[in-house]
Amino acid sequence: QPQGLINSLNDMLLEERMKVEDLEKRMENSDNLVGALEEQVASQEATLAAAKEELRSCQTRLTEENQVLKAQLQESQGKLTQLEKDLESQGDSQSLKDIAALQAELEKE
């Protein structure tokens, strides 16, 4: 009887050890998966940060370009206004017609 009990206890011990080994393997696999996911998240965060920086750079460049274009537009409008005044003072009706035609053409574009 004691030998049967010992054998039974040894079998139970072996079964529990196998369960523990299985759990350890599953934990190791889970750890590996978590590590891979953490690396993936870090990579995606780096990609996102780079994209945000590129967006800020584009926004800055477009804002500067817009300011230059606004200045050019104001300068052109000022020159046109001055030309109109100069022509009105000279009474040159044909030139005024040419300017009106030019303005109409520019508005179409």
Side-chain angles (χ1 to χ4, degrees):
Q1 171 117 18
Q3 187 61 39
L5 182 60
I6 290 173
N7 286 341
S8 177
L9 289 174
N10 278 336
D11 288 345
M12 288 174 54
L13 181 60
L14 181 60
E15 187 178 322
E16 291 304 313
R17 281 185 182 155
M18 289 173 63
K19 287 180 184 178
V20 167
E21 287 177 6
D22 183 53
L23 288 173
E24 286 175 342
K25 287 179 185 175
R26 289 171 57 191
M27 277 181 43
E28 185 178 338
N29 289 339
S30 291
D31 286 345
N32 290 339
L33 180 59
V34 167
L37 290 173
E38 286 174 341
E39 288 178 15
Q40 185 179 4
V41 167
S43 173
Q44 290 174 344
E45 287 174 343
T47 300
L48 181 59
K52 285 180 179 180
E53 182 57 35
E54 179 66 22
L55 177 60
R56 280 191 290 272
S57 175
C58 285
Q59 286 175 327
T60 300
R61 182 177 47 78
L62 289 173
T63 298
E64 291 169 355
E65 206 173 292
N66 191 30
Q67 289 172 345
V68 168
L69 291 173
K70 282 181 182 179
Q72 290 174 346
L73 176 62
Q74 288 175 345
E75 181 181 343
S76 295
Q77 287 173 333
K79 286 180 182 178
L80 181 59
T81 300
Q82 187 58 48
L83 283 172
E84 288 172 341
K85 288 179 183 177
D86 291 348
L87 289 173
E88 284 175 5
S89 67
Q90 293 175 5
D92 188 345
S93 62
Q94 182 58 42
S95 293
L96 286 175
K97 290 178 186 175
D98 291 343
I99 288 177
L102 178 60
Q103 281 180 316
E105 189 68 29
L106 288 174
E107 289 173 1
K108 286 180 189 177
E109 294 175 9

